[in-house]
Amino acid sequence: DAKTTQPNSMESNEEEPVHLPCNHSTISGTDYIHWYRQLPSQGPEYVIHGLTSNVNNRMASLAIAEDRKSSTLILHRATLRDAAVYYCILRPMNDYKLSFGAGTTVTVRA
Amino acid sequence: DAGVTQSPTHLIKTRGQQVTLRCSPKSGHDTVSWYQQALGQGPQFIFQYYEEEERQRGNFPDRFSGHQFPNYSSELNVNALLLGDSALYLCASSRLRTDTQYFGPGTRLTVL
């Protein structure tokens, strides 16, 4: 499985943007980039995914580098509810599983 | 619309026993995946079921087995429990050929 590298932790202030980096230098052309998050005492929750182009949805934006070796998840205005572990995952096109790493623990200060 | 549900919420077993965990997928979903999450770690893929067949399996021993029923619900069975099997067991459902998996709240298994 292609590997991702994320910082262990990040802190942010409420109502400020959060930029979560993910390195995936061994990504292949058919690997999708997925982001999930896990709030305390809950199962993981889908955030966003993309292949080559930047993506936006109601929760976040995903910026993908031109060479696809890195990506950034952007939370535009952090709230206390966004405090969670964020996982960056590469999923090959014909693979069904999600391969979670350790993720980034995001803390939001009021 | 109910999301993914799992039962029981918590379970305590002793070494050597067997356990069955249950999952009901989100309405309209036909595919169920199971994950194990040890404390402080990310979830690890156990297997995925579609059309009552195991479609893909992760790196888990044969003590871990599963089943999917015609109504798409699923069971995870673990035999000969070890202390290391203590973990949060997560079920996720999805529709075939879609990318998003929806997770349930999990079952916390403690093996003493």
Side-chain angles (χ1 to χ4, degrees), chain A residues 37-45 59 80-86:
Chain A
R37 71 179 185 181
Q38 189 170 20
L39 279 65
S41 302
Q42 294 188 26
E45 173 187 35
M59 288 181 68
L80 297 179
R81 196 198 169 274
D82 292 321
V85 179
Y86 286 77

Side-chain angles (χ1 to χ4, degrees), chain A residues 32 34 36 38 41-46 49 87 91 94-102, chain B residues 33 35 37 41-45 48 55-56 88 90 96 98-105:
Chain A
Y32 282 85
H34 286 250
Y36 280 75
Q38 189 170 20
S41 302
Q42 294 188 26
E45 173 187 35
Y46 168 81
H49 78 281
Y87 297 98
R91 189 181 70 80
N94 294 317
D95 195 350
Y96 305 116
K97 68 179 183 291
L98 295 171
S99 300
F100 291 82
Chain B
S33 303
Y35 293 80
Q37 186 173 24
Q41 298 183 21
Q44 299 300 304
F45 176 76
Q48 185 181 83
R55 183 162 66 169
Q56 187 175 5
L88 180 68
L90 295 158
L96 185 65
T98 63
D99 287 310
T100 303
Q101 294 190 18
Y102 293 81
F103 284 80

Side-chain angles (χ1 to χ4, degrees), chain A residues 67-79:
Chain A
D67 63 4
R68 300 187 71 235
K69 294 184 185 299
S70 66
S71 60
T72 301
L73 178 71
I74 303 165
L75 308 178
H76 295 286
R77 290 183 67 205
T79 69

Side-chain angles (χ1 to χ4, degrees), chain A residues 8-20 37-40 59 73-86 104-110:
Chain A
N8 290 333
S9 62
M10 291 189 71
E11 288 190 352
S12 175
N13 295 318
E14 201 174 11
E15 298 190 7
E16 289 185 356
V18 182
H19 290 242
L20 298 174
R37 71 179 185 181
Q38 189 170 20
L39 279 65
M59 288 181 68
L73 178 71
I74 303 165
L75 308 178
H76 295 286
R77 290 183 67 205
T79 69
L80 297 179
R81 196 198 169 274
D82 292 321
V85 179
Y86 286 77
T104 297
T105 300
V106 172
T107 304
V108 180
R109 294 184 292 252

